[in-house]
Amino acid sequence: SEILEKLNTVFREVFEDEFLKVTETTTSEQVVNWDSLVHVYLILQVEEAFSIKFALGEMQCLKDVGVLVRLIESKISQ
C-alpha cells in the first residue's frame, strides 16, 4: 500500500538504515535499536510525514506495523 511504502521511507530515515524494510507484521522486537525513546521519535516523524496527530493511548497500543497502517488510514480518512 502507499501508506506502507511511505512508512518504509520514514523507518529508513529514523533508523538510519537504507535497507530496512518493514511489513504489516513487523514488530519493535524485530528492528534493531527500536526502543521506547526511538519509538517516540518514530511516531513524531510519522505524524509529520502524514500530517496527522496521534493520541497518547494510540501510540501505546501499536503492537505491529499493521496496526500503525490501519491507524494512519483511519486518521487520513477523517
Side-chain angles (χ1 to χ4, degrees), residues 22-34:
V22 296
T23 66
E24 292 207 13
T25 59
T26 302
T27 65
S28 59
E29 290 82 27
Q30 297 169 314
V31 179
V32 177
N33 296 324
W34 189 346

Side-chain angles (χ1 to χ4, degrees), residues 2-57:
E2 278 184 41
I3 291 174
L4 195 54
E5 285 179 38
K6 197 168 184 179
L7 274 177
N8 266 291
T9 301
V10 173
F11 270 80
R12 288 181 191 119
E13 290 172 2
V14 168
F15 291 97
E16 298 177 350
D17 179 354
E18 64 182 296
F19 302 108
L20 178 61
K21 179 158 177 58
V22 296
T23 66
E24 292 207 13
T25 59
T26 302
T27 65
S28 59
E29 290 82 27
Q30 297 169 314
V31 179
V32 177
N33 296 324
W34 189 346
D35 59 21
S36 57
L37 188 59
V38 173
H39 183 77
V40 172
Y41 181 64
L42 175 65
I43 294 300
L44 291 171
Q45 294 304 107
V46 169
E47 287 178 331
E48 185 176 310
F50 291 93
S51 300
I52 55 175
K53 286 287 181 200
F54 295 113
L56 182 59

